[in-house]
Amino acid sequence: MSFTHLDDRGQARMVDVTAKQPTIRSATASGLVRCAPAVVQALRDNAVPKGDVLAVARIAGIAAAKRTPELLPLAHVIGVHGAAVDLEVTDDGVVVTATVRTADRTGVEMEALTAVSVAGLAVIDMVKGLDKSVSLADVRLERKTGGKSGDWVRTQ
């Protein structure tokens, strides 16, 4: 078995994508910030003491997508040409969805996952004073397009 991120000596390396042609790629990820009913109500009433939770989380997620290579040592520095972070308050908490797009040599799956993770953490930071038990769960890739492996959509 061959591992793409290991060299001939078994040491970690960044995959060389120099020879690949840039193509249009996108990835969508999601996650859930689980909140107590009282926090959900405060979010719906726009009554969280720290301010506009969803706006802060949206900006945090977009900024995180652009900084992914600083956080993940083997991620490539790529152009993030589009990043959208959507947040929806539900009875269980806040559903976070991020879609990231590029026209580059490698995909944006990690950027979308990072955007969801950091947006979720921003929600937690904003509401933790109301409920210490708030948590981030189910961060996962939902779909991706483009690249050598083609399109993929989660079926479960």
Side-chain angles (χ1 to χ4, degrees):
M1 176 181 249
S2 172
F3 295 99
T4 59
H5 284 76
L6 297 178
D7 65 16
D8 294 338
R9 296 180 312 241
Q11 296 178 342
R13 67 175 174 108
M14 178 186 274
V15 174
D16 186 350
V17 296
T18 307
K20 292 174 83 176
Q21 292 300 311
T23 60
I24 295 173
R25 301 156 184 265
S26 70
T28 299
S30 68
L32 173 65
V33 179
R34 295 188 197 280
C35 301
V39 174
V40 169
Q41 193 59 52
L43 288 163
R44 288 182 170 149
D45 294 342
N46 201 22
V48 175
K50 285 190 173 183
D52 190 340
V53 173
L54 303 184
V56 169
R58 185 175 299 108
I59 297 301
I62 291 168
K66 297 189 295 184
R67 299 185 76 159
T68 299
E70 294 175 33
L71 301 169
L72 302 174
L74 299 181
H76 291 89
V77 175
I78 61 171
V80 172
H81 299 120
V85 177
D86 297 308
L87 299 105
E88 178 187 2
V89 179
T90 68
D91 290 343
D92 295 324
V94 180
V95 175
V96 182
T97 306
T99 299
V100 180
R101 294 180 45 85
T102 190
D104 218 316
R105 291 176 169 87
T106 190
V108 285
E109 294 92 341
M110 296 313 300
E111 286 75 6
L113 289 161
T114 300
V116 166
S117 299
V118 172
L121 290 172
V123 171
I124 291 171
D125 183 46
M126 296 288 285
V127 303
K128 68 181 187 252
L130 300 174
D131 178 15
K132 300 279 190 251
S133 71
V134 66
S135 64
L136 178 58
D138 304 323
V139 175
R140 63 193 202 171
L141 185 66
E142 297 293 343
R143 65 185 152 277
K144 56 94 51 194
T145 65
K148 185 171 85 172
S149 65
D151 298 350
W152 177 86
V153 177
R154 178 174 294 283
T155 58
Q156 51 186 332

